[in-house]
Amino acid sequence: MKITTNSILIFFGIIAFTVMACLPISIFAMPLMGPHQPSQADYAATLQVIVAQTMAAETQSATSPTPTLFIPTVTPTSPTKTPVPTAISYCDWVSFIKDVSIPDGTLLSPGEIFTKTWRLQNRGTCTWTPDYDVVFYGGAQMSGVTMQVPGYVAPGQTVDFAVTFTAPSAPGHYTGYWLLRNASGALFGTGVHADETFFVDIYVKDVPHGEVTGNICYPSGSNPPVTLYFESKDTNDVIQFAIPRNTPTYRVLLPNGTYYAHAWASGYDLEGAYVDSSFLMKSFVVKSGQLNTDIDLCDWSPVSHARGN
């Protein structure tokens, strides 16, 4: 067989092509990349990306573990019920409505007589009967006495209770406490437990004088006009009062102090005096708001009386 030049060229071309096909393409690309070669950092970053992608792929392909649900242990308790308040009622119970007269803190004169009226309501479940009473419980009684319930008072009804008092003779603040008493003798009143009192509350004036009363024991059936003399034992000052004819008694106001008392019937030249057993003038004391009784001018004589104690 005759080998030509063309045949040789074709043969070597095939060999060259085969060798080139076996070499990596990066050998031919390197001349084209020129001076811009990748740095060591670029290779490290590329490696990290590849590793991360690989791990992600493995994670996705791996069987996902079954999650564990955490349930805290709780000791069951019974629900707490809020107690419903129970309405309290009493058989005998009072509700104070108002003071009809003599409101708290009223200012009165010494010895003044007054009537205190309370308006009360039957707050209980039992009817008040005439066997129930308003009774004194404590404090200043001021001559107030037990009062019977006036009739029948059904639950929910109101009634006025009026009690008469006498203000004390000494000035000051006085309070008297009162309750109701049922037919069995049990006491009851106002308040949430039916055990609080209702009361009378007054002030007595500081009056700088007292009253003096007595008889004029003139020795005849009727007395003439006389003049009363009240002589201060301490200062000898004299206070006088004119008493009309046929007036056998007297009642006068005097400033606080200690006094002798006598009377003079000018038309008869006789003196009557308040005396002791020795027929000497006897002194007496006048205090604020106090009533002095029985200062009787019964010893009549044409001679003036000497002063005693």
Side-chain angles (χ1 to χ4, degrees), residues 75-97:
T75 303
T77 57
S78 300
T80 302
K81 295 182 179 180
T82 302
V84 177
T86 303
I88 299 175
S89 62
Y90 299 96
C91 170
D92 293 319
W93 200 359
V94 179
S95 180
F96 173 80
I97 302 301

Side-chain angles (χ1 to χ4, degrees), residues 221-255:
S222 61
N223 62 279
V226 299
T227 302
L228 299 185
Y229 298 91
F230 294 93
E231 179 184 334
S232 171
K233 183 179 180 181
D234 300 322
T235 64
N236 296 323
D237 292 335
V238 176
I239 300 172
Q240 64 185 44
F241 299 90
I243 304 299
R245 183 186 302 274
N246 297 328
T247 306
T249 62
Y250 71 92
R251 188 183 186 104
V252 297
L253 291 175
L254 293 176

Side-chain angles (χ1 to χ4, degrees), residues 176-205:
Y177 301 94
W178 293 72
L179 287 170
L180 264 74
R181 181 176 61 194
N182 66 19
S184 299
L187 299 176
F188 64 96
T190 66
V192 295
H193 300 297
D195 60 355
E196 296 180 15
T197 60
F198 45 95
F199 50 86
V200 53
D201 181 271
I202 65 165
Y203 287 87
V204 176
K205 301 175 184 178

Side-chain angles (χ1 to χ4, degrees), residues 10-266:
I10 291 171
F11 175 75
F12 281 107
I14 291 171
I15 293 173
F17 182 78
T18 300
V19 171
M20 292 175 61
C22 295
L23 295 174
I25 190 171
S26 58
I27 296 176
F28 298 98
M30 288 176 61
L32 299 176
M33 294 173 65
H36 303 286
Q37 301 297 323
S39 64
Q40 190 68 26
D42 293 333
Y43 285 116
T46 301
L47 181 59
Q48 291 178 1
V49 171
I50 294 172
V51 172
Q53 291 176 349
T54 303
M55 293 178 65
E58 291 178 354
T59 301
Q60 292 177 0
S61 62
T63 303
S64 299
T66 302
T68 301
L69 179 62
F70 175 73
I71 302 177
T73 302
V74 178
T75 303
T77 57
S78 300
T80 302
K81 295 182 179 180
T82 302
V84 177
T86 303
I88 299 175
S89 62
Y90 299 96
C91 170
D92 293 319
W93 200 359
V94 179
S95 180
F96 173 80
I97 302 301
K98 70 173 184 176
D99 292 315
V100 178
S101 65
I102 313 296
D104 295 345
T106 297
L107 184 63
L108 300 173
S109 298
E112 182 175 346
I113 297 174
F114 65 97
T115 300
K116 170 74 177 188
T117 303
W118 299 283
R119 180 162 296 167
L120 306 178
Q121 182 184 44
N122 184 348
R123 188 180 177 183
T125 58
C126 297
T127 298
W128 301 345
T129 71
D131 293 327
Y132 283 54
D133 302 306
V134 176
V135 297
F136 173 69
Y137 182 71
Q141 188 167 1
M142 294 180 282
S143 302
V145 297
T146 298
M147 176 189 173
Q148 190 177 33
V149 172
Y152 292 83
V153 183
Q157 289 185 332
T158 59
V159 63
D160 289 352
F161 293 97
V163 177
T164 299
F165 297 95
T166 301
S169 58
H173 182 205
Y174 298 90
T175 304
Y177 301 94
W178 293 72
L179 287 170
L180 264 74
R181 181 176 61 194
N182 66 19
S184 299
L187 299 176
F188 64 96
T190 66
V192 295
H193 300 297
D195 60 355
E196 296 180 15
T197 60
F198 45 95
F199 50 86
V200 53
D201 181 271
I202 65 165
Y203 287 87
V204 176
K205 301 175 184 178
D206 185 8
V207 180
H209 63 262
E211 290 186 281
V212 179
T213 66
N215 297 308
I216 302 173
C217 308
Y218 198 76
S220 67
S222 61
N223 62 279
V226 299
T227 302
L228 299 185
Y229 298 91
F230 294 93
E231 179 184 334
S232 171
K233 183 179 180 181
D234 300 322
T235 64
N236 296 323
D237 292 335
V238 176
I239 300 172
Q240 64 185 44
F241 299 90
I243 304 299
R245 183 186 302 274
N246 297 328
T247 306
T249 62
Y250 71 92
R251 188 183 186 104
V252 297
L253 291 175
L254 293 176
N256 296 343
T258 303
Y259 295 90
Y260 296 111
H262 60 97
W264 182 255
S266 59

Side-chain angles (χ1 to χ4, degrees), residues 278-299:
S278 300
F279 301 102
L280 298 175
M281 282 192 189
K282 182 171 63 174
S283 65
F284 60 94
V285 178
V286 174
K287 295 182 179 180
S288 295
Q290 178 177 301
L291 175 62
N292 290 290
T293 61
D294 301 325
I295 309 299
D296 300 327
L297 310 178
C298 292
D299 186 62

